[in-house]
Amino acid sequence: MSIPAFGLGTFRLQGQVVIDSVRTGLELGYRVIDTAQIYENEADVGQAIADSGIPRDELFITSKIWIANFAEGQLIPSLKDSLRKLKTDYLDLTLIHWPSPEDQVPVAEFMGQLLEAKHLGLTRQIGISNFTVDLMKQAIAAVGAENIATHQIELHPYLQNRTVVDFAKSQGIQITSYMTLAYGEVLKDPIIQQIAERHQATPAQVTLAWAMQLGYAVIPSSTQRANLQSNLKALELILSEADMAQIAGLERGHRLTSPKGIAPNWD
């Protein structure tokens, strides 16, 4: 099983805002929804999904285990609570959201519980998020690379994370890019705007197409119907080698997400 290339993110969206975003996305044809325990919106996402009437087997739902739920005996109950909120019997993908700060809970301990959750049928696939190469090696040692479906990381034209990407690829682990639009920063980039003009596309479509063409899954979010609809068109956009090379040149190590006390020592 592989990770679908295009989905809907729900980071920073709560209450009626996230219900409306997910509902609209599903109406427009989105079938992949990404949430997390720490977003505190799983119940709202679950409500929007339930209201849509779309059969569960047509959806791909991802959530992420928060660091407070890593200790032995806590991860699986927390996942069951997420399932209850999301009104589903299983997740398609469950990720470790961040590594345990200062290795308070060893990687092998929480990854072992996550693999057990897969064996119990609570999730069809498992993966990781925000891991360094060293932490990825520990996760692979714990459960095997074949059990790590994806590594979800901040990745956009200004932070292309090549060290982590190259190692993940060498292990057969797919990359999911979050913050692909860098909170909108890259949409103002002159080079991306020029490429967009050449293709009669939007800068967002160009950026999302760039990530997908590199083999990454993307999960952009929006509260605006027009943007949700427009972003879907990135699936039809094909960039040239010259376009891809121009965007590759935008790398500047510009990291937007690195929460104090939680983030690892980045590669």
Side-chain angles (χ1 to χ4, degrees):
M1 294 174 75
S2 61
I3 309 302
F6 198 93
L8 179 65
T10 62
F11 177 52
R12 289 187 168 175
L13 306 181
Q14 292 181 327
Q16 195 60 45
V17 173
V18 77
I19 290 171
D20 290 345
S21 175
V22 172
R23 184 177 290 155
T24 302
L26 292 171
E27 285 174 10
L28 292 170
Y30 286 79
R31 291 295 180 266
V32 179
I33 310 293
D34 180 281
T35 182
Q37 293 175 342
I38 197 64
Y39 297 173
E40 296 184 341
N41 65 11
E42 288 176 316
D44 296 321
V45 169
Q47 188 61 52
I49 290 171
D51 290 347
S52 75
I54 295 168
R56 177 65 183 90
D57 61 4
E58 293 180 18
L59 298 169
F60 189 101
I61 305 172
T62 299
S63 195
K64 312 177 197 78
I65 306 292
W66 187 241
I67 58 176
N69 300 320
F70 287 173
E72 192 66 46
Q74 292 184 16
L75 189 149
I76 286 173
S78 84
L79 175 52
K80 288 179 177 176
D81 190 47
S82 291
L83 295 176
R84 180 183 58 78
K85 290 174 180 173
L86 287 161
K87 302 181 191 298
T88 183
D89 296 329
Y90 68 94
L91 290 177
D92 296 277
L93 174 66
T94 305
L95 307 178
I96 295 296
H97 201 159
W98 287 85
S100 185
E102 298 176 347
D103 205 30
Q104 290 165 6
V105 180
V107 172
E109 190 171 311
F110 58 72
M111 289 304 297
Q113 292 179 82
L114 192 59
L115 184 59
E116 184 185 351
K118 180 181 176 182
H119 291 154
L120 291 170
L122 302 175
T123 184
R124 294 197 166 169
Q125 299 186 83
I126 63 173
I128 54 178
S129 183
N130 299 302
F131 277 40
T132 60
V133 170
D134 177 62
L135 288 162
M136 289 176 71
K137 287 177 179 176
Q138 292 182 51
I140 289 166
V143 299
E146 69 279 5
N147 282 308
I148 301 174
T150 194
H151 185 192
Q152 187 177 125
I153 51 175
E154 179 185 342
L155 193 151
H156 44 76
Y158 293 165
L159 180 74
Q160 299 186 25
N161 237 322
R162 290 176 182 139
T163 300
V164 170
V165 167
D166 289 348
F167 180 75
K169 280 186 175 176
S170 77
Q171 303 299 307
I173 297 170
Q174 188 175 349
I175 292 291
T176 299
S177 156
Y178 74 78
M179 281 187 199
T180 316
L181 306 180
Y183 285 144
E185 286 186 32
V186 297
L187 307 185
K188 304 166 195 164
D189 190 274
I191 287 175
I192 288 177
Q193 289 182 341
Q194 288 165 18
I195 295 169
E197 285 171 20
R198 284 205 296 272
H199 288 275
Q200 295 183 309
T202 67
Q205 289 165 3
V206 167
T207 307
L208 294 168
W210 161 79
M212 287 188 285
Q213 235 167 281
L214 287 171
Y216 312 149
V218 296
I219 44 170
S221 67
S222 180
T223 59
Q224 305 298 316
R225 185 183 187 93
N227 289 342
L228 288 166
Q229 193 158 23
S230 176
N231 287 347
L232 277 172
K233 293 178 182 171
L235 287 159
E236 302 160 15
L237 179 60
I238 298 172
L239 303 178
S240 69
E241 285 184 21
D243 297 331
M244 296 294 285
Q246 278 191 291
I247 299 173
L250 297 177
E251 164 66 46
R252 58 188 70 170
H254 180 48
R255 188 178 295 278
L256 297 169
T257 304
S258 192
K260 195 173 179 182
I262 295 175
N265 293 318
W266 301 112
D267 292 301

